[in-house]
Amino acid sequence: MAKKGRVFSGIRPTGRAHLGNYLGAIQNYVALQDDYECVYCIVDLHALTTVEDTENLRQNTHEMALDLLAAGIRPQETILFVQSHVPEVTELHMILSMVTPLGKLTDLPTFKEKVRQQPDNVNYGLVGYPVLMTADIVLYKADVVPVGIDQAPHIEFARETVRSFNYRYNTHVLIEPQMKNTPVLKVLGIDGKEKMSKSLNNHIELAATPEETTKRVREMVTDPARIKRTDPGNPDICNVFTMHKIFSPQSDVDMVNVECRRAGIGCVECKVLLAKNLNKHLEPLRAKRAEYASKPDLVMDILNDGAKRARVIAQKTMEEVRAAVQLP
Ligand code: TYM
């Protein structure tokens, strides 16, 4: 069947994937494979902007590959690779930086957030992060980019950069990408307040054991107004209920919706039920992950093969880019 176009997305190997990555992006990575030619990248160079101690970078890259394969990335059809294995991206990053006003980068909310998070490590790579991300996307001429809503400023930046490049060099070589979100735009962490992320340690890993998952779910913050077991709760503002709506059968969702409001069910009971349903949902993924984990050479082969296929596309784009820029 003819595909509708090309999809690209990237994920940082900062550790194992968590429910935020999964619900915000990875589920879409998997679904889009049916209709699009997909290219998915573990962005180790991007990880360097925040990770100073690189001792675990290789292991984390491997772990992320396991998570993606376990979630349902099909490496025969989809290209799955590691960013630094296709060095053309760094050349394109450099060329795109010439059409990027510095102020635009330092004004981005994502940059300001990083400055707050790591004031002692505001490195040049951090400023150029969205330029490298744009290079990722346009190197593979992606039409569609599945990401969580936190990446929206970067996709808008990429679109503007494509326009600036094509205008300055009077070309149509680069394609303006479209952002694609999942129904869950922003997954909250177990604190029920902030975006789920590893750096805030408010995350639940896909590959955690059922026991670890249950422990993490039991730590989830619920409706703060519900102090005593006998207080009625408000599921509409409770992150546990949000998760029930994603992972639990409709009968459990309906029951929680009614019983929480009249204190018929306590928060602990509600969370244990969620943990049970979440573990059930993740069971096949974890089994598949264990299978891949037992074959590290196969995973390496998949990533090497992915890089080879990615590089064919990348080299062709770079030939066109160099010609457009009139690099001798
Ligand atoms: P990263 O590694 O932070 O996150 C990977 C994907 O997971 C999504 N995500 C979330 N979605 C909803 N709720 C959350 N709590 C949550 N946490 C993470 C992110 O939106 C993202 O889609 N800059 C990118 C990596 C990147 C990239 C690219 C993406 C590099 N080059 C090119 C697309 C195209 C990032 O930081 O992802």
Side-chain angles (χ1 to χ4, degrees):
M1 193 187 66
K3 299 277 183 177
K4 287 186 195 160
R6 191 175 287 149
V7 163
F8 179 94
S9 198
I11 189 161
R12 286 175 304 147
T14 46
R16 293 168 162 190
H18 53 69
L19 285 180
N21 301 134
Y22 180 62
L23 299 172
I26 297 175
Q27 280 196 328
N28 248 349
Y29 297 180
V30 174
L32 288 164
Q33 293 177 115
D34 293 340
D35 294 327
Y36 290 84
E37 183 192 342
C38 295
V39 183
Y40 297 128
C41 182
I42 303 173
V43 291
D44 53 349
L45 296 173
H46 276 107
L48 290 181
T49 61
T50 53
V51 175
E52 285 181 74
D53 180 359
T54 54
E55 197 190 319
N56 296 323
L57 190 57
R58 280 205 180 146
Q59 182 58 26
N60 285 344
T61 301
H62 176 71
E63 298 272 348
M64 188 54 78
L66 292 179
D67 281 330
L68 292 170
L69 291 165
I73 299 304
R74 302 190 287 267
Q76 276 81 17
E77 49 192 285
T78 289
I79 297 179
L80 176 66
F81 75 107
V82 178
Q83 188 181 34
S84 66
H85 293 179
V86 181
E88 281 77 6
V89 77
T90 56
E91 183 186 354
L92 187 53
H93 169 237
M94 174 53 66
I95 292 174
L96 293 179
S97 74
M98 308 306 167
V99 294
T100 305
L102 185 57
K104 206 166 169 180
L105 291 171
T106 51
D107 275 352
L108 280 170
T110 43
F111 174 71
K112 290 181 178 158
E113 193 188 329
K114 283 289 173 217
V115 173
R116 271 197 303 276
Q117 282 172 2
Q118 51 182 68
D120 299 328
N121 185 17
V122 184
N123 57 71
Y124 173 67
L126 207 53
V127 185
Y129 186 110
V131 187
L132 182 58
M133 193 166 149
T134 304
D136 280 330
I137 297 167
V138 299
L139 188 58
Y140 300 99
K141 301 211 169 180
D143 306 290
V144 175
V145 184
V147 281
I149 199 72
D150 58 317
Q151 296 300 310
H154 291 163
I155 306 299
E156 192 44 43
F157 172 87
R159 292 166 57 82
E160 287 167 12
T161 306
V162 166
R163 290 199 290 270
S164 301
F165 178 92
N166 285 347
Y167 179 74
R168 167 147 345 154
Y169 298 111
N170 194 21
T171 177
H172 295 287
V173 163
L174 302 187
I175 295 176
E176 251 186 76
Q178 302 288 333
M179 177 165 80
K180 175 118 184 137
N181 296 129
T182 54
V184 197
L185 290 179
K186 179 175 165 186
V187 180
L188 298 182
I190 61 170
D191 50 28
K193 258 197 339 242
E194 305 284 345
K195 176 184 102 170
M196 183 176 284
S197 81
K198 171 155 166 130
S199 56
L200 295 173
N201 192 21
N202 65 359
H203 60 306
I204 299 177
E205 289 176 354
L206 293 183
T209 61
E211 296 72 30
E212 282 163 353
T213 306
T214 304
K215 183 168 170 290
R216 280 307 250 180
V217 170
R218 287 186 70 145
E219 286 164 9
M220 283 177 79
V221 172
T222 53
D223 172 6
R226 195 173 185 201
I227 296 160
K228 294 195 301 296
R229 165 68 181 81
T230 47
D231 291 338
N234 179 3
D236 300 331
I237 56 159
C238 181
N239 194 26
V240 174
F241 187 59
T242 305
M243 292 288 184
H244 267 300
K245 285 192 273 187
I246 299 166
F247 293 111
S248 298
Q250 193 56 44
S251 53
D252 285 353
V253 176
D254 293 343
M255 183 277 288
V256 170
N257 195 14
V258 171
E259 296 301 330
C260 172
R261 288 179 207 277
R262 62 177 186 209
I265 181 176
C267 291
V268 174
E269 208 182 323
C270 182
K271 288 194 250 189
V272 169
L273 181 64
L274 171 63
K276 189 185 99 188
N277 292 330
L278 178 57
N279 278 325
K280 190 161 173 223
H281 178 94
L282 292 175
E283 207 174 88
L285 188 151
R286 288 168 177 162
K288 202 162 170 190
R289 191 184 201 279
E291 217 179 294
Y292 274 112
S294 71
K295 300 174 192 157
D297 289 348
L298 171 65
V299 176
M300 189 106 73
D301 286 348
I302 288 172
L303 295 177
N304 287 338
D305 175 63
K308 240 189 245 161
R309 287 151 66 202
R311 206 153 184 208
V312 173
I313 307 172
Q315 285 177 335
K316 183 161 181 298
T317 305
M318 283 317 294
E319 272 171 32
E320 294 168 9
V321 166
R322 287 184 206 116
V325 176
Q326 303 194 53
L327 285 170

